[in-house]
Amino acid sequence: MKLIQLSDIHLTTPGATIGGRDPRRNFERALAHVLRDHHDAELMVITGDLSDWGDRDDYIWLKSTLDAFPIPTRLCIGNHDRRDVFLSVFPEYDDGGFVQGVHDVSAGRCLLLDTVEPDTHAGRYCDARQVWLQRQLIGHPGPFLLFMHHNPIRTHLGALDQIRLLDDAAFRQIVGRHRDRIRHIFFGHCHLPLCGSVAGVPTSSLRGTNHASFPLFSETALLSASDLPESYGVAFIGDDDVTVHMVEFGYTGPIRVEGSPDYTAWDRETMVR
């Protein structure tokens, strides 16, 4: 099956920009690009930071936009979102006061996690949410795909790791007990292409649909921003393999196809030695 991941769309007031980029316009561009190349996707998941300020108007606009979008879509919230405001527009996501839920696809069961802690950009996964996750993993044979906002792995970038999922040890213990039935964990938050593993389960992330970070390892205290292209993810879930692409739909340079005149300079047979 094919699955689309968008993350960190950071919707704002119409016309407002972040880093000189228009989040609403870029989100619309991402949706158009997805429909052009991946209209056959079974599900799209947006892994948090839906609104930059948690404004209700952003959620109303998002709901209206997704209601008209032909690919089924599920949502997670992030540290820029306000849970109570989000639930006032999307009450169907309310599960015990958290934004969490289940969605079945042909490749298994998707679990949508809520890692938000009010008044901090760091992630938390409290006892109540841990119980919910364990109940889901015990109560269904799987396999599972997990979606969340905060990074459950260390990036080894100082500023980002200060706002990671701070309950990562408890989360890893839960994942580790069920690792044989969890195919992949998708997350957002970092605005970076990342891959790794959580207690033996593969995990990946990507840049958002608007602004981008940069892995500046020489900077140990502050976040870094860049003008790298906007992106979304495409995952192919097979019987015994998972492939994840980051599609930089914001890239505006040339793309040279083998056999075309523009490809000549890239063709090994025509290169000058």
Side-chain angles (χ1 to χ4, degrees), residues 60-80:
I60 292 173
W61 182 86
L62 178 62
K63 183 175 180 60
S64 175
T65 301
L66 294 179
D67 283 347
F69 191 64
I71 299 174
T73 302
R74 296 302 305 269
L75 307 173
C76 299
I77 59 170
N79 50 291
H80 280 255

Side-chain angles (χ1 to χ4, degrees), residues 94-139:
D94 191 340
D95 187 312
F98 295 106
V99 178
Q100 53 193 6
V102 173
H103 185 95
D104 289 331
V105 292
S106 60
R109 172 160 286 190
C110 300
L111 300 181
L112 304 137
L113 311 187
D114 182 337
T115 59
V116 170
E117 182 75 6
D119 303 318
T120 178
H121 288 295
R124 288 286 189 185
Y125 209 62
C126 64
D127 291 346
R129 283 173 278 187
Q130 291 176 36
V131 168
W132 180 88
L133 177 57
Q134 292 180 85
R135 187 169 64 247
Q136 301 304 321
L137 293 170
I138 292 170

Side-chain angles (χ1 to χ4, degrees), residues 77-90:
I77 59 170
N79 50 291
H80 280 255
D81 293 303
R82 291 174 56 192
R83 186 185 288 118
D84 57 340
V85 181
F86 172 84
L87 289 175
S88 73
V89 179
F90 293 93

Side-chain angles (χ1 to χ4, degrees), residues 49 91 95 110 157 161 181 185 204 235 265:
D49 280 355
D95 187 312
C110 300
L157 295 163
D161 284 342
R181 295 181 297 122
I185 301 173
S204 64

Side-chain angles (χ1 to χ4, degrees), residues 254-271:
I255 299 174
R256 303 169 182 89
V257 178
E258 187 175 11
S260 69
D262 290 341
Y263 192 82
T264 302
W266 294 77
D267 192 333
R268 188 170 183 271
E269 294 182 2
T270 64
M271 288 181 181

Side-chain angles (χ1 to χ4, degrees), residues 22-266:
D22 184 333
R24 289 201 184 200
R25 173 59 183 144
N26 281 325
F27 179 62
E28 291 175 325
R29 290 175 61 219
L31 296 184
H33 202 281
V34 167
L35 284 186
R36 189 194 73 183
D37 290 357
H38 306 292
H39 60 274
D40 57 338
E42 190 171 331
L43 179 68
M44 182 171 77
V45 180
I46 308 178
T47 50
D49 280 355
L50 309 172
S51 169
D52 195 54
W53 292 96
D55 291 337
R56 193 170 193 272
D57 286 347
D58 292 337
Y59 299 130
I60 292 173
W61 182 86
L62 178 62
K63 183 175 180 60
S64 175
T65 301
L66 294 179
D67 283 347
F69 191 64
I71 299 174
T73 302
R74 296 302 305 269
L75 307 173
C76 299
I77 59 170
N79 50 291
H80 280 255
D81 293 303
R82 291 174 56 192
R83 186 185 288 118
D84 57 340
V85 181
F86 172 84
L87 289 175
S88 73
V89 179
F90 293 93
E92 64 273 21
Y93 282 88
D94 191 340
D95 187 312
F98 295 106
V99 178
Q100 53 193 6
V102 173
H103 185 95
D104 289 331
V105 292
S106 60
R109 172 160 286 190
C110 300
L111 300 181
L112 304 137
L113 311 187
D114 182 337
T115 59
V116 170
E117 182 75 6
D119 303 318
T120 178
H121 288 295
R124 288 286 189 185
Y125 209 62
C126 64
D127 291 346
R129 283 173 278 187
Q130 291 176 36
V131 168
W132 180 88
L133 177 57
Q134 292 180 85
R135 187 169 64 247
Q136 301 304 321
L137 293 170
I138 292 170
H140 190 273
F144 296 96
L145 302 169
L146 272 55
F147 297 85
M148 58 198 298
H149 182 68
H150 290 85
N151 47 306
I153 57 172
R154 294 178 184 270
T155 66
H156 300 277
L157 295 163
L160 276 178
D161 284 342
Q162 291 177 24
I163 58 173
R164 72 184 192 281
L165 183 71
L166 298 181
D167 305 280
D168 54 347
F171 182 76
R172 285 197 304 273
Q173 289 177 3
I174 296 171
V175 168
R177 287 195 289 270
H178 302 276
R179 67 176 62 140
D180 292 341
R181 295 181 297 122
I182 303 175
R183 301 288 306 280
H184 201 86
I185 301 173
F186 299 86
F187 66 96
H189 189 46
C190 299
H191 296 244
L192 290 170
L194 290 163
C195 61
S197 64
V198 179
V201 176
T203 186
S204 64
S205 189
L206 70 171
R207 289 201 295 274
T209 59
N210 195 67
H211 44 296
S213 297
F214 190 87
L216 188 65
F217 289 93
S218 59
E219 173 54 61
T220 60
L222 303 175
L223 295 170
S224 301
S226 74
D227 294 323
L228 288 166
E230 304 88 343
S231 81
Y232 65 84
V234 181
F236 296 85
I237 318 294
D239 291 338
D240 58 1
D241 66 325
V242 176
T243 303
V244 181
H245 289 269
M246 186 179 76
V247 180
E248 296 177 302
F249 72 92
Y251 172 68
T252 57
I255 299 174
R256 303 169 182 89
V257 178
E258 187 175 11
S260 69
D262 290 341
Y263 192 82
T264 302
W266 294 77

